[in-house]
Amino acid sequence: MDMFTVDADVASWESALPALRGLDRLAVLLPLAWHLRQRETQRALTLAREALQLLPGASLSPFDIRSAQARMDLVLAEADWLCGQLDAAQRQARAILQRFTALGDHIGCADSHWLLAWIAVDQGDHQASDACFGAVAEAAARAGDELRVMLAEAAIARWAVLRDRNMAVARWGGRFNSGSAHGPALATWINDFLGLAASHIGDFGAAAGYYIRCFEAARDTGQLRAAITAATNIGEDFTLLNDHYAALQWMQSALELARPAGWPRSVGACLMHTADTLRRLGQLDAAHTMLQEALEILKPLENARSYAIALQYLGDLSLDQGDHAGALDAFTRLLARADALDQADFRSIARRGQAHALSHLGRAAEALAVAAESAALSAQQHNRYNQIAALRVMAMVHAQHPLPAPEGMVEPNPALHYLNQALAVASTIEGYTVPGELYDAMGREYAAAGDFRRAYDVAVAASVSREKTHSQEATNHAIAMQVHHQTEHARSEGYHHRELAESEARRAEIAQRTSATLERLSAIGQEITAHLDAAAVFRALDRHIHGLLTASTFAIYLTDSASATLQRAFGVELGKELAPHTIPLDHPSAYAVRCLHQRRELYIEHWPDSEHQKVVPGTVANMSALFVPLTVGERAFGVMTVQALQSHAYGENERMIFRTLCAYGAIALDNADAYRQLQDAQAQLVSQEKLAALGSLMAGVAHELNTPIGNSLLIASTMQEKAAGIELLMNGPGLRRSELAAFVADSQKAGALVMRGLTSAADLVSSFKQVAVDRTTEQRRNFNLQQVCHEIIATMMNRIRQANHSIELEVGDSIGMDSYPGPFGQVITNFINNALLHAFAPGSSGSMRLSATLTPEQRVLVEFRDDGSGIPNEHLGRIFDPFFTTKLGQGGSGLGLSISYNIVTSLLGGQISVLSSPSGTCFALDLPLVAPQHEDSGNTTIY
């Protein structure tokens, strides 16, 4: 993936993305998020996070997935850097570099080093930044990416200028020159290098030209921070060319780019350069306010070069305001930053400024010593402009204070000694015009020394200098105008060629636009109609309406069940949800009612002011509106409206889009209503199924109780008769011993039979109570699996015996569960009922078996088998579908196995599977011994 790309590529990805869904979006998300990282940082973050969510499921190689994940994380790290969160950005970038290194992804390593280099720049660690730029070149060379190699070298050359301009130009000037052909990404940094090199020798016109080309290339390739920096440098060069109007224009351009981005370094740099331009124009108060704001914004980046420049500007401004203590503080802080940055220009500038301030504060000896250091440093650096400025400060110190004469002085006083040295240095600069102020200072000193002849000669030289200076100012202005002209000519020529290229594509673009719109609407329609919930349809329509159309108000009205009113089912206005609203269908003037009755689109291009009084209270007075009926077939059941604050908001293309969205919305809402009705019917059928199951359970229990209770009643009545006979014998002829013995024996046998029968009935009632309680309350409890299975089968034995079938139970008595015995029992009951209804042919005798075993994973495997005829293969994939049955109207509802599936997979937290063949069917349940927790599980009804 390229490090930077042109706007045209970004535009093509932007147009392709809305039509893509799911994993298909990745192919566009990845490059778009990467190349928006400075164009639209917040949107890049959103897209990168979406890509990170999709990547684990992508059908890519593990290398590609991990590489893409690291690159998206690099987008997040770059955002932190731009926002001034340097430590966090550095930690992330280093971790990402390790990931790319482990993958052997050299391009990823190069891009990680690039970010680390710029973080180091903002931290003021230029030794580290040079090392990182070198690592960029090394990694890119391994990957065979020559463009990234040259980008890294251009950045190295740019920062080398600040340490030794002549060395940097000698090393890289031949390779990076304006005559070579470069792509816009590389042209950004080559022109930045050339502009900085030209600025350091005072060729500000050429420097502005280079920076303008840097600005254009940076904008076109999404390097927004570089574009902002270039714009501020252009402004500074125009300031030095005395074209302050052009300078302020470029500063304003830079600010317009920087403020929306909110990046502290960029905003602060724009403010401080603008402040310095205002200072030169004499607007000191405005400059002071803007410079203080810049320093506050740049505070988190106080180790960077930009903060050092701000300190220099603060010192110069304080001198102009007469705040010499403030100036001394600013230049002292600048000197500390100069030593940390190892940048020579700041060392001499800071000492010169300190000397100027110290002299006005009465600290003459210190001022002279510091000024001498500044002059010596400038001489060592061959920076004759700074050397002249330092010598002039030394002359000023001697003029203000009585100090010992310098060694070897031949002039009448020390001030003249240093002014003549400054004049001698100036004479070595080709084309340099000595400032008139220097000659004026010399004239005053010669006059004070009584040498009026030389004072006169110097005054003449000052006059000549001023004439040259004025001529030079005119020349500078002409240079500035020439740069403007060349820039505008280049721009207009570029626009002309661009128009020629675009005119050839315009007709094809117009033809493709409708097709692309329809394709996008088709994809949107698929999304909208995929929802079976009305609320989800409303949200999807709202999102796409506001993405495609101007809409201050969007609302959906649906008819009520009695078709008497239109009720607002959904409404949003200026981002806020609208309150419910009802319109009678006999309303005489409501546009929504007219739209519904006439079943046609209504478009109000300009809403008359006289009708605004009819606006629903609490809503805005829109100026244009579009109403479209929601119809399916011949049935109209609602109206959609979109409205705007401006008149004539919806042209033919917008109306076509809204019309299409209304059609999709009508289908989706009709589907949602049908699905809701289906759910209601399903709930009713499930309730009926439960009642039928309960009736079958009651019938089985009644049959099982009849036998023991009937026997007990028979025995009790027999014993009652025998007791009456014994009583007659006792009161009559007399009771023989043998008759009493026989009665006692019969009583004992009868008692035993009654106890056996009643005990059996009591056990059955106890089992029924347990199953009934579990099924009605779905109470979670600890239970013994064998006992629950035994109780379930006991309640079903009547039906099993009546059908001439048998069932076996093979469940160990040591399996304990913490789960829901009632729903579990419903599942087993459904299996038995399903077997009785489907597995066995009429009149045949079959067998079933319920077994359970513990698995090594501490789960329980429950199996229900029958030896019936099996399930046909074509039905196996549908047996758990709601309402699927082959016995509809013959006792089958199609809900039993669907209910069982839902219970097992949701409430019990297990899995259900089925195997079938012509020799029988086996349902298998894989259940946890401890069911998952469910909110309000004790009151949940299973459907």
Side-chain angles (χ1 to χ4, degrees):
M1 190 177 292
D2 292 336
M3 188 181 289
F4 307 106
T5 196
V6 295
D7 288 339
D9 291 338
V10 176
S12 67
W13 291 320
E14 287 278 23
S15 63
L17 184 63
L20 300 175
R21 295 291 177 272
L23 293 174
D24 291 341
R25 291 170 61 84
L26 268 178
V28 175
L29 278 175
L30 294 171
L32 186 57
W34 175 248
H35 290 295
L36 285 178
R37 62 194 191 278
Q38 288 192 27
R39 286 177 168 95
E40 293 183 63
T41 304
Q42 289 304 315
R43 184 148 184 272
L45 292 176
T46 300
L47 297 178
R49 292 184 180 114
E50 181 184 352
L52 287 169
Q53 290 180 342
L54 292 174
L55 276 167
S59 57
L60 300 172
S61 69
F63 171 86
D64 288 337
I65 290 176
R66 289 196 289 270
S67 177
Q69 289 171 329
R71 186 164 292 278
M72 292 300 97
D73 285 335
L74 198 60
V75 173
L76 309 185
E78 183 161 333
D80 282 347
W81 162 61
L82 291 168
C83 293
Q85 299 174 22
L86 303 185
D87 292 340
Q90 188 177 60
R91 286 194 301 272
Q92 292 180 68
R94 285 173 175 170
I96 294 165
L97 174 61
Q98 291 177 351
R99 289 158 61 186
F100 277 128
T101 303
L103 288 171
D105 186 340
H106 299 305
I107 294 297
C109 290
D111 294 347
S112 301
H113 281 301
W114 179 267
L115 177 56
L116 284 167
W118 288 106
I119 293 170
V121 166
D122 284 356
Q123 290 173 330
D125 189 349
H126 286 272
Q127 185 175 0
S129 70
D130 284 346
C132 289
F133 283 128
V136 174
E138 183 179 348
R142 286 182 184 152
D145 191 326
E146 182 60 25
L147 177 58
R148 279 181 167 86
V149 173
M150 295 186 72
L151 281 168
E153 290 195 12
I156 294 172
R158 189 248 193 232
W159 290 105
V161 170
L162 296 174
R163 289 190 296 273
D164 191 330
R165 185 261 176 197
N166 293 331
M167 179 278 294
V169 172
R171 180 175 176 183
W172 284 289
R175 184 174 186 185
F176 299 139
N177 59 75
S178 59
S180 303
H182 310 293
L186 181 58
T188 299
W189 299 103
I190 289 178
N191 282 292
D192 187 47
F193 157 69
L194 295 172
L196 191 61
S199 293
H200 272 240
I201 59 172
D203 192 354
F204 302 117
Y210 289 131
Y211 281 132
I212 288 171
R213 288 190 283 275
C214 169
F215 175 81
E216 299 284 359
R219 286 294 306 274
D220 192 38
T221 53
Q223 301 181 72
L224 187 59
R225 189 170 124 146
I228 295 168
T229 301
T232 58
N233 287 335
I234 296 166
E236 185 178 12
D237 287 330
F238 277 122
T239 294
L240 296 171
L241 288 169
N242 296 318
D243 189 347
H244 300 301
Y245 176 75
L248 289 172
Q249 279 189 315
W250 277 102
M251 297 298 181
Q252 182 63 30
S253 297
L255 267 173
E256 288 174 355
L257 290 176
R259 286 235 187 247
W263 304 332
R265 187 268 180 195
S266 298
V267 175
C270 293
L271 291 173
M272 70 183 184
H273 284 295
T274 305
D276 190 58
T277 302
L278 292 174
R279 177 187 69 83
R280 293 170 187 269
L281 289 169
Q283 300 181 31
L284 302 186
D285 291 340
H288 178 79
T289 300
M290 190 169 287
L291 191 55
Q292 288 299 325
E293 182 183 356
L295 285 164
E296 184 64 28
I297 292 173
L298 290 170
K299 184 65 176 175
L301 305 171
E302 59 183 356
N303 294 328
R305 177 177 172 84
S306 53
Y307 192 82
I309 296 173
L311 289 175
Q312 175 191 342
Y313 290 166
L314 178 62
D316 290 338
L317 177 61
S318 298
L319 290 175
D320 287 354
Q321 291 177 317
D323 181 9
H324 301 109
L328 178 60
D329 176 70
F331 284 119
T332 301
R333 291 159 64 193
L334 175 62
L335 182 58
R337 294 307 315 136
D339 291 337
L341 292 168
D342 190 24
Q343 292 179 355
D345 54 343
F346 283 144
R347 288 194 175 102
S348 60
I349 291 171
R351 285 174 168 81
R352 185 186 71 220
Q354 283 180 319
H356 196 148
L358 287 168
S359 179
H360 282 86
L361 291 171
R363 297 161 63 179
E366 293 178 67
L368 187 62
V370 175
E373 290 179 13
S374 175
L377 282 171
S378 301
Q380 292 173 7
Q381 300 158 11
H382 305 289
N383 191 326
R384 287 168 290 184
Y385 298 97
N386 283 345
Q387 187 179 1
I388 292 169
L391 289 168
R392 290 182 63 183
V393 170
M394 294 177 73
M396 180 197 71
V397 174
H398 276 283
Q400 291 178 345
H401 305 282
L403 293 170
E407 185 178 349
M409 184 183 77
V410 295
E411 296 295 335
N413 61 45
L416 283 170
H417 173 78
Y418 290 115
L419 289 172
N420 275 289
Q421 284 190 3
L423 188 62
V425 174
S427 66
T428 65
I429 304 174
E430 185 177 356
Y432 180 72
T433 300
V434 177
E437 295 82 13
L438 175 58
Y439 285 123
D440 286 339
M442 294 178 68
R444 286 193 297 272
E445 295 299 328
Y446 278 123
D451 191 344
F452 297 105
R453 172 74 183 181
R454 296 196 65 178
Y456 173 78
D457 292 339
V458 171
V460 172
S463 177
V464 173
S465 174
R466 284 194 173 85
E467 288 183 6
K468 286 185 177 181
T469 300
H470 291 156
S471 176
Q472 185 63 47
E473 288 175 355
T475 302
N476 287 344
H477 188 70
I479 292 172
M481 291 179 63
Q482 182 181 10
V483 171
H484 273 302
H485 173 73
Q486 291 173 346
T487 302
E488 292 303 318
H489 177 73
R491 281 179 176 169
S492 61
E493 191 174 54
Y495 291 147
H496 174 67
H497 288 300
R498 194 175 305 164
E499 282 295 321
L500 287 177
E502 289 178 355
S503 64
E504 292 297 322
R506 197 164 292 143
R507 285 176 296 174
E509 180 184 351
I510 293 172
Q512 292 174 355
R513 190 177 302 157
T514 301
S515 175
T517 300
L518 291 175
E519 287 181 9
R520 183 176 179 185
L521 287 173
S522 177
I524 291 171
Q526 292 177 12
E527 177 193 345
I528 292 171
T529 55
H531 295 296
L532 290 175
D533 175 65
V537 176
F538 295 152
R539 290 193 298 270
L541 285 168
D542 179 57
R543 184 172 69 255
H544 292 298
I545 287 289
H546 285 91
L548 294 169
L549 300 172
T550 300
S552 59
T553 303
F554 169 60
I556 300 173
Y557 288 86
L558 301 177
T559 56
D560 64 354
S561 58
S563 297
T565 62
L566 271 175
Q567 297 177 344
R568 185 156 56 208
F570 179 82
V572 172
E573 188 169 79
L574 300 178
K576 296 182 179 179
E577 186 174 348
L578 288 169
H581 177 235
T582 299
I583 308 174
L585 285 182
D586 58 359
H587 195 289
S589 60
Y591 284 102
V593 173
R594 284 174 50 196
C595 175
L596 182 70
H597 286 331
Q598 298 174 9
R599 297 194 180 188
R600 68 179 181 88
E601 174 185 316
L602 296 180
Y603 176 36
I604 300 92
E605 293 183 284
H606 176 78
W607 221 317
D609 293 338
S610 60
E611 293 198 10
H612 282 163
Q613 60 185 346
K614 303 175 185 178
V615 169
V616 177
T619 62
V620 300
N622 291 299
M623 296 304 297
S624 57
L626 191 57
F627 294 84
V628 174
L630 297 174
T631 60
V632 175
E634 296 299 320
R635 183 169 61 92
F637 62 90
V639 173
M640 268 174 58
T641 178
V642 62
Q643 303 175 17
L645 294 171
Q646 66 270 35
S647 301
H648 309 284
Y650 307 111
E652 181 54 39
N653 187 54
E654 287 76 15
R655 296 201 297 275
M656 182 272 291
I657 290 172
F658 187 62
R659 202 178 300 130
T660 305
L661 291 176
C662 287
Y664 286 131
I667 294 170
L669 290 172
D670 189 59
N671 289 343
D673 184 61
Y675 183 69
R676 180 188 57 77
Q677 294 180 25
L678 182 63
Q679 285 183 314
D680 292 343
Q682 180 180 355
Q684 185 177 1
L685 287 170
V686 169
S687 178
Q688 293 173 356
E689 177 81 8
K690 286 192 168 185
L691 288 173
L694 183 59
S696 175
L697 178 65
M698 292 295 293
V701 170
H703 176 82
E704 292 297 324
L705 288 174
N706 277 340
T707 299
I709 293 176
N711 290 338
S712 298
L713 285 172
L714 178 61
I715 294 168
S717 64
T718 301
M719 288 307 299
Q720 187 178 21
E721 292 176 0
K722 288 192 175 187
I726 289 293
E727 183 180 10
L728 289 174
L729 290 174
M730 286 176 61
N731 296 329
L735 180 63
R736 293 194 299 270
R737 182 180 180 86
S738 59
E739 291 173 336
L740 180 60
F743 177 77
V744 170
D746 289 341
S747 297
Q748 289 175 338
K749 290 178 183 178
L753 290 172
V754 169
M755 285 299 297
R756 188 183 309 155
L758 293 178
T759 300
S760 176
D763 289 344
L764 189 61
V765 169
S766 176
S767 297
F768 168 68
K769 284 173 61 180
Q770 182 63 63
V771 172
V773 168
D774 284 341
R775 289 191 178 180
T776 55
T777 66
E778 290 163 11
Q779 179 181 3
R780 180 184 184 129
R781 62 182 176 85
N782 292 309
F783 61 89
N784 181 277
L785 184 61
Q786 182 192 62
Q787 180 183 350
V788 168
C789 290
H790 175 77
E791 292 166 353
I792 294 166
I793 290 176
T795 62
M796 296 295 296
M797 280 306 299
N798 180 47
R799 287 196 60 196
I800 295 171
R801 291 197 194 99
Q802 282 184 343
N804 199 29
H805 303 308
S806 63
I807 187 167
E808 299 177 15
L809 180 64
E810 295 182 7
V811 179
D813 61 0
S814 61
I815 302 177
M817 298 183 70
D818 177 7
S819 190
Y820 301 87
F824 173 79
Q826 187 174 353
V827 171
I828 302 303
T829 301
N830 288 343
F831 287 164
I832 295 173
N833 285 331
N834 187 70
L836 294 177
L837 183 61
H838 296 281
F840 308 115
S844 64
S845 177
S847 64
M848 296 166 281
R849 184 174 55 147
L850 178 63
S851 62
T853 56
L854 279 174
T855 67
E857 294 82 15
Q858 289 302 296
R859 296 172 70 86
V860 61
L861 180 63
V862 179
E863 292 185 343
F864 178 81
R865 297 178 180 271
D866 65 62
D867 58 359
S869 58
I871 303 171
N873 288 333
E874 62 269 22
H875 295 161
L876 270 177
R878 302 184 59 196
I879 61 172
F880 296 120
D881 292 349
F883 308 109
F884 176 75
T885 178
T886 58
K887 297 285 187 178
L888 190 63
Q890 305 174 43
S893 67
L895 286 173
L897 291 181
S898 175
I899 292 170
S900 299
Y901 180 88
N902 291 335
I903 290 173
V904 171
T905 57
S906 59
L907 186 63
L908 303 183
Q911 297 176 345
I912 184 171
S913 60
V914 59
L915 293 174
S916 188
S917 69
S919 60
T921 300
C922 176
F923 287 92
L925 308 180
D926 181 5
L927 303 174
L929 292 177
V930 180
Q933 293 292 334
H934 301 281
E935 291 185 7
D936 298 326
S937 59
N939 298 320
T940 302
T941 301
I942 301 298
Y943 292 103

